Amino acid sequence: MKSTGLHRQYDHSKKLKSVLYYQGAVTHEILGSLTEILKDRIANEKRKNKILNVFIEMAQNVSHYSSEKEGDYGVGLILIKEKSHILKLATANFLDQQTAKPLQEKLEHLLSLSGEEIKELYQEKIKGERPEDSKGAGLGFLEILKKSDFPFRSSFEKTAEGNVFFTLTVFFRLG
């Protein structure tokens, strides 16, 4: 019997120690279910709340800002892997070019800041007004930077259709 593509994908995911893989619309119900799965997986982790907060922030970004929609919800990919005591959280979704360019500049700026500058900017944002184009308080990426163990990684890949495939990856030490 010939091996199917799904069998190879299953084996590959198993070797990578995938904890969670989801692709589709990120609804409130889906986010709640995925959060429960992750919560069970990291039950013994001391910094469980930090990891869960970052995960929720990342998933909400997909739901709110993806240019690909199913009803009112953004569509994207959520992947969580564990390897060598590192938990990797990754999200990916399509953005239109008008959204992608300023986001890329914002993320590059945030990554250039020192820890102290991040804290100062965070305090300014808490005291300031909500940005017009934001579904939240504009704190999401600052929260991610503050809570994760390493600087996040992002990529912006232009597609043949004229939009951008945005990927955000965050890492935590386990144990």
Side-chain angles (χ1 to χ4, degrees):
M1 185 174 211
K2 190 174 181 177
S3 178
T4 65
L6 282 178
H7 181 238
R8 285 191 300 275
Q9 184 176 353
Y10 177 84
D11 282 346
H12 182 70
S13 292
K14 192 173 179 181
K15 286 177 188 166
L16 291 176
K17 292 192 175 182
S18 292
V19 174
L20 180 89
Y21 179 96
Y22 174 78
Q23 184 175 352
V26 183
T27 66
H28 298 295
E29 295 79 14
I30 293 291
L31 179 55
S33 296
L34 296 176
T35 302
E36 287 302 314
I37 291 168
L38 181 57
K39 191 185 297 184
D40 288 345
R41 181 66 182 90
I42 59 172
N44 296 325
E45 187 58 39
K46 294 175 206 160
R47 294 164 307 118
K48 178 171 64 172
N49 287 338
K50 280 186 178 185
I51 295 169
L52 291 172
N53 288 341
V54 168
F55 170 75
I56 290 168
E57 183 63 45
M58 292 172 70
Q60 285 178 335
N61 283 343
V62 172
S63 184
H64 294 312
Y65 300 110
S66 177
S67 63
E68 184 180 12
K69 300 282 187 191
E70 278 186 24
D72 293 335
Y73 299 99
V75 173
L77 171 72
I78 298 171
L79 176 65
I80 302 173
K81 295 190 228 178
E82 181 184 333
K83 184 176 182 181
S84 302
H85 303 290
I86 298 289
L87 187 69
K88 174 182 173 181
L89 286 68
T91 56
N93 57 277
F94 288 102
L95 299 173
D96 59 48
Q97 288 190 17
Q98 295 80 5
T99 303
K101 185 69 174 153
L103 177 60
Q104 185 173 9
E105 291 169 359
K106 176 182 180 176
L107 296 184
E108 287 171 0
H109 170 70
L110 291 177
L111 288 171
S112 73
L113 299 176
S114 69
E116 191 58 41
E117 290 170 320
I118 290 168
K119 288 177 187 175
E120 288 173 16
L121 183 57
Y122 184 83
Q123 290 302 316
E124 284 176 29
K125 293 272 187 189
I126 285 178
K127 295 173 186 171
E129 292 186 22
R130 181 181 185 166
E132 278 183 37
D133 59 345
S134 178
K135 309 257 192 297
L139 297 170
F141 292 108
L142 287 169
E143 289 274 353
I144 292 169
L145 270 174
K146 284 179 57 173
K147 292 179 179 176
S148 60
D149 292 328
F150 305 94
F152 58 72
R153 294 184 190 159
S154 62
S155 69
F156 294 81
E157 181 183 339
K158 291 184 180 174
T159 68
E161 295 79 25
N163 52 18
V164 176
F165 192 68
F166 168 61
T167 304
L168 180 66
T169 307
V170 178
F171 302 90
F172 288 94
R173 284 188 191 94
L174 295 176

